[in-house]
């Protein structure tokens, strides 16, 4: 064909083009009350992903200068208005407000003029008036397939402003999968920034057009999976990503089951797209028997997404991964963005190993979701409706699978009832924090170690499984040879991904920092990962000794400290003067002692005390970073910490109490200023470190 498209992709483009154009919008300056709506210059494009929500690029809504704040800014949205029977389609204009930009640091760190904005360069805009509009279908895959695609946006060819689409071939990914490279011969015009990138083979939006390359043709787009990096919300709240995706799935579910409109829906078009498995003459309307047995039909997939969206969102990313692993039969790819919704779990079930294919894996997954413990009561009958749909859908598949699903459902019901009986006495739903100060379940592990003879450091971020699977760690990211000054920025994104995997609706995950004693002064609790709030205010942060076999008396000391009462003793100063305890002094103290170090990681004598505390089996040690003014008295620190230890009663509450202290200091409470720089060494024997220790720098 002249445009290079194959027959299958040409047919797919013809089917998808009307749907994509109907959901694509023009972004421009807000209406000032005097001009004609929608007549100003075009800033870029965007597209509706859920009722009332437009996705575009951050640099599109940042048009107009660096002095303008992005979040909260009002923009103009010109969208397509579908005409009634016998009427032509038109356009309308409505005001929108920027709800969020990614990355969040764009508010403080704008790029220079004509420079590329930092990835993912996304903005979510909330429409400020109720309007009727179309929405695109977003992919559930975290990683795009490199295939034929089409990109859409606002152009002004021949002086006519309109939304057009052009085909391309995806050439690869960049920035660790966050960006997609478009074909070298593509002509991307400035007004197309923020428009959708559509996978023609699967009929789903996989990216947002970002920019054209400076040298040569083509350009790049941002994967829609980067939406998962949206702020997850405070504990007990549903994050913005989950809210938007719930609206997305319910919109398409309602469109699919409605009989009020005869126009094609995305589900209808998915059923007409050329099939990868179609080896029979007659076109895509005649899928093979194998594809019918191994994959859900488009209608079944839309219905499943809608039924999942009617349930409360999952409590944590790890809960989704666990169900995916049980349904898939193998651990999903840990290098993909964390799944935050039940729908994201479906995206991890494509191309599973073994017999049965995607249909069997997705039905197993849906069965497990129907009997899961939800963060709040589902709508009456919602979980039973999901199971009824699974049972009805399985009727067309193999009889052994139907029997397996029934047994799986009965086991799940029994296990859920057992958990609820065991939880008698606490709220069945809603936020709940156990008595222990450290949140249960997985934690985020940050390891940093120095190169010999050099002031550069290697680092690694992992998810530590915790007591459920002692010593198991799932890698998130790692890096080499960064300075201490560059370390906070280097680990910002990996830490954010780790928190997304571990946070639950009940509690923010624990951050465990493993460093050598000389780095105990590393101000990790003051680093910002998201929202501009220090990480130590958002969650408990504790220090860990580097790996190694614990001393024989460590378990007994740990148990006594947890039960209390706590006895805090100065171990490196006496009334503000440097003091080094005699050898063996720490080992001879009672087990519920908490050594208090006010000069941790500041001088050689202090490092000696830390070594002695470790050798004596102390798993809980309180310390602080050197204050900015070395003449500042340490007495307020010792006095305040003595009161905290006495009020805590036992050691279990210390991580949460220290987090609360950081929050008070961050909120400008003068009575908590003594706690600035306070750190807690927390060597929990139930959370052993992985055995594969990192290399200690270069040889």
């Amino acid at each position: 064909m002249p445009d290079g498209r194959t027959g299958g992709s040409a047919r797919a483009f013809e089917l998808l083009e009307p749907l994509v154009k109907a959901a694509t919008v023009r972004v421009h300056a807000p209406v000032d009350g005097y001009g004609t709506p929608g007549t100003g210059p075009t800033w870029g494009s965007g597209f509706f992903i859920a009722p009332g929500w437009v996705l575009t690029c951050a640099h599109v809504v940042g048009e107009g200068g660096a002095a303008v704040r992005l979040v909260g800014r009002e923009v103009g949205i010109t969208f397509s208005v579908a005409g009634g029977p016998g009427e032509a389609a038109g356009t309308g204009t409505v005001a929108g407000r920027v709800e969020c930009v990614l990355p969040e640091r764009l508010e403080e760190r704008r790029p220079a003029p004509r420079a590329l904005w930092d990835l993912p360069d996304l903005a979510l805009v909330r429409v400020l008036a109720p309007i009727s509009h179309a929405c695109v279908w977003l992919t559930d895959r975290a990683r795009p397939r490199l295939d034929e695609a089409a990109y859409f946006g606002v152009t002004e060819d021949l002086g006519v402003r309109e939304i057009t689409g052009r085909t391309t071939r995806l050439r690869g990914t960049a920035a660790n999968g966050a960006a997609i490279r478009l074909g070298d011969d593509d002509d991307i015009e400035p007004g197309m920034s923020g428009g959708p990138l559509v996978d023609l083979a699967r009929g789903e939006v996989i990216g947002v057009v970002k920019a054209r390359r400076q040298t040569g043709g083509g350009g790049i787009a941002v994967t829609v999976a980067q939406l998962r990096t949206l702020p997850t919300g405070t504990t007990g709240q549903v994050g913005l990503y989950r809210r938007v995706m719930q609206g997305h799935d319910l919109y398409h579910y309602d469109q699919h089951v409605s009989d009020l409109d005869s126009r094609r829906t995305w589900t209808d078009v998915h059923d007409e797209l050329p099939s990868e498995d179609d080896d029979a003459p007659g076109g895509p309307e005649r899928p093979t028997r194998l594809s019918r047995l191994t994959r859900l039909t488009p209608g079944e997939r839309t219905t499943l997404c809608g039924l999942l969206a009617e349930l409360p969102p999952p409590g944590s990313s790890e809960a989704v991964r666990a169900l995916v692993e049980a349904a898939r039969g193998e651990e999903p790819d840990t290098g993909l963005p964390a799944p935050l919704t039940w729908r994201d779990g479906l995206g991890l079930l494509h191309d599973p190993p073994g017999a049965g294919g995607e249909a069997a894996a997705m039905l197993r997954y849906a069965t497990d979701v129907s009997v899961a413990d939800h963060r709040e009561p589902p709508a009456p009958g919602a979980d039973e409706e999901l199971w009824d749909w699974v049972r009805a859908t399985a009727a067309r598949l193999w009889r052994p699978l139907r029997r397996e699903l029934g047994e799986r459902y009965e086991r799940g019901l029994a296990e859920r009832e057992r958990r609820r009986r065991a939880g008698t006495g606490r709220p069945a739903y809603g936020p709940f924090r156990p008595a222990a100060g450290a949140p249960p379940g997985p934690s985020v592990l940050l390891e940093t170690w120095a190169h010999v003879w050099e002031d550069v450091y290697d680092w690694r971020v992992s998810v530590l499984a915790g007591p459920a699977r002692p010593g198991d760690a799932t890698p998130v990211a790692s890096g080499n040879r960064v300075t201490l000054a560059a370390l906070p920025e280097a680990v910002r994104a990996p830490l954010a991904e780790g928190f997304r995997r571990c946070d639950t609706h009940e509690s923010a995950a624990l951050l465990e920092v493993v460093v050598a004693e000389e780095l105990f002064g590393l101000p990790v609790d003051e680093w910002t990962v998201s929202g501009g709030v220090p990480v130590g205010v958002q969650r408990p942060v504790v220090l860990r000794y580097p790996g190694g076999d614990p001393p024989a008396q460590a378990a007994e000391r740990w148990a006594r400290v947890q039960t209390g009462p706590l006895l805090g003793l100065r171990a490196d100063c006496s009334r503000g003067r440097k003091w080094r305890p005699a050898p063996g002094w720490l080992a001879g103290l009672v087990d519920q002692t908490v050594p208090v170090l006010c000069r941790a990681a500041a001088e050689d004598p202090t490092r000696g005390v830390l070594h002695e505390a470790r050798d004596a089996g102390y798993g809980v040690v309180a310390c602080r970073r050197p204050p900015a003014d070395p003449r500042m008295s340490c007495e307020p620190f010792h006095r305040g910490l003595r009161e905290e230890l006495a009020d805590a009663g036992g050691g279990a509450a210390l991580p949460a109490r220290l987090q609360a202290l950081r929050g008070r200091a961050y909120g400008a409470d003068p009575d908590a200023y003594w706690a600035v720089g306070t750190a807690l060494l927390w060597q929990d024997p139930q959370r052993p470190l992985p055995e594969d220790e990192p290399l200690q720098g270069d040889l």
Side-chain angles (χ1 to χ4, degrees):
M1 298 182 64
D3 59 2
R5 284 181 278 165
T6 65
S9 65
R11 173 60 176 160
F13 184 88
E14 293 170 359
L15 291 169
L16 292 166
E17 183 183 29
L19 297 177
V20 181
K21 291 174 66 174
T24 303
V25 304
R26 187 171 70 89
V27 181
H28 49 82
V31 179
D32 59 10
Y34 296 97
T36 303
T39 58
T42 298
W43 290 358
S45 304
F47 52 99
F48 282 106
I49 59 174
W53 291 99
V54 170
L55 179 62
T56 183
C57 286
H59 76 264
V60 170
V61 299
E63 184 79 16
V68 180
R69 182 169 176 82
L70 297 177
V71 176
R73 184 183 192 188
E74 287 198 10
V75 299
I77 302 292
T78 296
F79 63 100
S80 298
V81 178
E87 298 179 2
T91 61
T93 299
V94 67
R97 179 175 295 132
V98 180
E99 194 76 11
C100 185
V101 295
L102 295 173
E104 294 177 276
R105 62 177 180 270
L106 285 175
E107 288 289 9
E108 291 77 30
R109 292 174 47 187
R110 301 287 181 86
R114 297 184 175 273
L116 282 177
W117 286 45
D118 293 345
L119 288 169
D121 187 17
L122 295 178
L124 203 55
V125 180
R126 179 164 55 92
V127 172
L128 300 181
I131 58 174
S132 177
H133 60 80
C135 297
V136 303
W137 176 275
L138 294 178
T139 182
D140 57 11
R141 299 174 188 261
R143 180 174 293 153
R145 294 283 189 89
L146 300 181
D147 212 328
E148 292 184 314
Y151 56 96
F152 292 79
V154 177
T155 63
E156 297 190 17
D157 291 340
L158 305 177
V160 178
R161 179 182 292 161
E162 59 181 345
I163 295 171
T164 60
R166 300 169 184 179
T167 58
T168 184
R169 182 82 184 186
L170 305 184
R171 300 300 182 187
T173 60
N176 295 321
I180 310 171
R181 299 185 186 277
L182 308 185
D184 294 340
D185 56 347
D186 299 325
D187 184 17
I188 300 176
E189 299 183 24
M192 304 185 84
S193 293
L197 176 68
V198 185
D199 182 338
L200 292 176
R202 294 158 193 86
E204 53 193 23
V205 173
I206 60 174
V208 184
V209 177
K210 172 176 168 59
R212 53 184 175 184
R213 287 196 286 272
Q214 299 294 332
T215 57
I220 59 174
V222 182
T223 62
V224 294
Q226 293 301 305
L227 278 174
R228 300 185 193 181
T229 63
L230 284 168
T232 54
T234 58
T235 302
Q237 294 183 350
V238 177
L240 184 57
Y241 173 76
R242 288 171 171 163
R243 285 171 48 203
V244 171
M245 292 311 301
Q246 182 183 43
H248 170 277
D249 288 338
L250 291 177
Y251 167 85
H252 287 287
Y253 179 43
D254 294 342
Q255 292 285 309
H256 174 57
V257 299
S258 174
D259 295 328
L260 301 178
D261 198 335
S262 60
R263 288 172 296 186
R264 277 196 180 114
T265 67
W266 282 80
T267 306
D268 296 333
V269 169
H270 287 161
D271 214 19
E272 300 177 30
L273 290 176
S275 172
E276 297 174 349
D277 302 309
D278 185 22
D279 56 5
E285 291 78 15
R286 298 180 56 188
T288 64
R289 182 175 182 273
L290 176 62
S291 67
R292 289 197 302 269
L293 291 176
T294 58
R295 293 180 181 171
L296 297 180
T297 66
E300 290 169 345
R301 183 180 59 181
T302 301
T303 301
L304 175 55
C305 288
L307 294 175
L308 291 174
E310 290 185 335
L311 295 173
S316 69
S317 170
E318 287 299 300
V320 179
R321 285 185 181 274
L323 296 188
V324 168
E325 183 173 353
R328 186 179 176 91
E330 67 175 5
E331 184 181 15
D333 188 351
T334 58
L336 300 176
L340 301 179
T341 65
W342 299 124
R343 181 187 202 265
D344 294 341
L346 293 179
L348 296 174
L349 293 172
H350 294 290
D351 306 318
E358 294 176 4
M362 290 182 178
L363 292 179
R364 294 188 189 103
Y365 174 76
T367 300
D368 292 344
V369 173
S370 71
V371 293
D373 281 320
H374 298 291
R375 55 180 292 170
E376 58 191 34
D383 46 358
E384 290 89 350
E385 184 179 4
L386 176 60
W387 164 243
D388 290 341
W389 176 86
V390 170
R391 185 170 49 186
T393 304
R396 70 174 178 82
L397 301 176
W398 308 280
R399 186 173 57 183
L401 176 62
R402 299 198 298 269
R403 183 171 60 250
E404 175 198 338
L405 294 175
E407 294 172 351
R408 196 181 192 100
Y409 180 72
E410 294 299 328
R411 288 196 306 270
L413 282 179
E415 178 62 21
R416 183 173 68 180
E417 183 60 28
R418 185 195 66 77
R419 290 193 300 267
R420 289 181 176 176
R421 285 199 302 269
T424 302
R426 69 174 177 87
Y429 301 100
F432 167 72
R433 183 183 291 275
S443 60
V444 178
L445 182 67
L446 169 62
E447 300 167 278
T448 302
W449 60 99
H451 282 248
V452 179
W453 313 118
E454 295 184 81
D455 291 331
V456 292
Y457 299 81
D458 294 349
W459 58 270
R460 180 170 66 183
V461 175
S462 312
V463 170
L464 192 62
R469 300 195 305 275
D472 285 1
T474 303
V476 175
S478 60
N480 304 101
R481 304 182 66 82
V482 298
T483 64
L484 281 182
L487 186 60
E489 185 62 28
V491 302
R492 181 199 293 263
L495 285 178
E497 174 63 17
F499 297 149
R500 280 190 290 273
R501 295 186 186 184
C502 298
D503 285 349
T504 71
H505 67 280
E506 297 174 348
S507 59
L510 176 71
L511 172 59
E512 304 188 65
V513 183
V514 178
V515 291
E517 283 87 343
E518 60 267 22
L519 288 179
F520 269 29
L522 202 63
V524 177
D525 57 284
E526 296 182 354
W527 296 352
T528 57
V529 174
S530 64
V533 179
V535 67
V537 176
Q538 296 178 329
R539 64 189 65 250
V541 178
V542 297
L543 298 172
R544 296 287 302 267
Y545 290 124
D549 295 331
Q553 64 272 40
E556 186 174 351
R557 285 195 185 276
W558 175 267
R560 289 297 302 273
V561 167
Q562 299 310 302
T563 57
L566 301 180
L567 177 62
L569 289 180
R570 306 184 188 207
D572 66 347
C573 84
S574 176
R575 293 297 175 185
R577 294 188 299 271
K578 299 177 185 178
W579 173 68
R580 179 70 179 271
W585 180 78
L586 281 169
L589 299 177
V590 294
D591 287 341
Q592 63 264 40
T593 301
V594 177
V596 178
L597 311 176
C598 69
R599 304 173 185 277
E603 301 174 10
D604 290 339
T606 301
R607 289 202 287 269
V609 176
L610 282 169
H611 280 293
E612 287 187 14
R614 179 178 187 175
D615 294 341
Y618 287 96
V620 180
V621 178
C623 54
R624 71 164 185 170
R625 293 188 295 275
D629 184 359
R631 298 168 299 179
M632 183 181 297
S633 172
C634 64
E635 289 306 306
F637 166 74
H638 288 290
R639 190 180 304 114
L641 196 57
R642 183 173 61 247
E643 295 177 2
E644 280 295 316
L645 293 175
D647 291 344
L654 290 181
R657 293 184 72 95
L658 185 53
Q659 178 191 357
L661 277 172
R662 295 191 190 104
R664 289 172 54 194
Y666 181 72
D669 182 353
D671 293 335
Y673 285 159
W674 64 266
V676 173
T678 302
L680 182 69
L681 189 144
W682 189 257
Q683 198 75 1
D684 188 345
Q686 293 186 332
R687 312 183 74 89
L689 297 176
E691 296 181 359
D692 55 328
E693 294 186 41
L695 297 176
Q696 299 298 310
D698 293 335
L699 296 177

